[in-house]
Amino acid sequence: MASIQCVAVASCFSLRKQFPSINSSNPSSLVAHPTTTTTTYLKSLSFSRNLSETIFSNGSLAMKVVERPSRRSVVCEAAPTKKADSAAKRARQAEKRRIYNKSKKSELKTRMKKVLDSLDVLQKKTDAQSEEIISIEKLIAEAYSAIDKAVKAGALHRNTGANRKSRLARRKKTVEIHHGWYTPASPLKV
């Protein structure tokens, strides 16, 4: 609090230097200049936040220290007057998640469709080479990655993701068996 009072005293001394016509010994000095009014003097005093100006009835200027509380609070005038409805917030969050999950599922379906279409084309070829499956394996790896990302994001259940991966692997194996590039092992006899 002492620092505030020192600031107020220092401000009073600097005001007397800036306005020589304001003198505490001569209360009628404000009336000495008929063209100058008290409001012009007070407009220049508005820079100080620690001081409060009042004009007494005799025309002299008195200053006093304004005490501030030790806590400072921030007031936001643009804030709504009541809290947002929690159901409305949940609806907004659900819409964001729906859009996010929809994009993950769309990417997943696109990747799977590319793999399945390329496998169908390869199966229908009569003169297919075993090296052609390498490009399809890259597509399968991209599809697996998309499935894993969708499962990690929660857009797809982990069992559904595993079923989709299994579907791609079985289809690839079917094509390899069809062209004779893969022969399944004979079942074990117990």
Side-chain angles (χ1 to χ4, degrees), residues 88-101:
K89 183 177 179 181
R90 284 292 179 190
R92 289 193 304 270
Q93 289 175 338
E95 182 63 19
K96 284 181 187 177
R97 283 195 299 270
R98 185 188 70 81
I99 292 170
Y100 181 74
N101 291 342

Side-chain angles (χ1 to χ4, degrees), residues 100-123:
Y100 181 74
N101 291 342
K102 185 178 178 182
S103 68
K104 290 286 184 189
K105 288 179 183 180
S106 175
E107 180 186 2
L108 168 73
K109 289 175 186 176
T110 303
R111 302 266 186 204
M112 285 189 65
K113 187 174 181 180
K114 282 183 182 180
V115 171
L116 295 175
D117 289 345
S118 60
L119 284 172
D120 285 343
V121 168
L122 186 62
Q123 187 170 6

Side-chain angles (χ1 to χ4, degrees), residues 73-188:
S73 61
V74 177
V75 177
C76 182
E77 295 177 7
T81 55
K82 67 173 193 170
K83 281 186 152 183
D85 190 13
S86 61
K89 183 177 179 181
R90 284 292 179 190
R92 289 193 304 270
Q93 289 175 338
E95 182 63 19
K96 284 181 187 177
R97 283 195 299 270
R98 185 188 70 81
I99 292 170
Y100 181 74
N101 291 342
K102 185 178 178 182
S103 68
K104 290 286 184 189
K105 288 179 183 180
S106 175
E107 180 186 2
L108 168 73
K109 289 175 186 176
T110 303
R111 302 266 186 204
M112 285 189 65
K113 187 174 181 180
K114 282 183 182 180
V115 171
L116 295 175
D117 289 345
S118 60
L119 284 172
D120 285 343
V121 168
L122 186 62
Q123 187 170 6
K124 290 178 183 177
K125 274 188 176 179
T126 56
D127 57 343
Q129 300 296 322
S130 61
E131 292 83 24
E132 292 179 31
I133 199 80
I134 294 172
S135 63
I136 296 175
E137 285 177 350
K138 289 180 183 177
L139 292 175
I140 291 174
E142 291 174 2
Y144 279 9
S145 176
I147 291 169
D148 290 338
K149 286 179 184 177
V151 168
K152 187 177 180 181
L156 203 66
H157 193 271
R158 65 174 187 252
N159 291 351
T160 308
N163 290 340
R164 303 256 172 109
K165 286 181 179 181
S166 176
R167 182 185 306 168
L168 294 176
R170 279 183 286 135
R171 184 69 67 90
K172 178 187 161 211
K173 189 175 280 190
T174 303
V175 171
E176 289 176 335
I177 290 172
H178 175 74
H179 286 293
W181 303 327
Y182 176 79
T183 53
S186 60
L188 297 173

Side-chain angles (χ1 to χ4, degrees), residues 9-19 47:
V9 172
S11 298
C12 290
F13 287 127
S14 64
L15 287 175
R16 286 184 187 147
K17 290 178 185 175
Q18 290 177 358
F19 302 106
F47 71 92

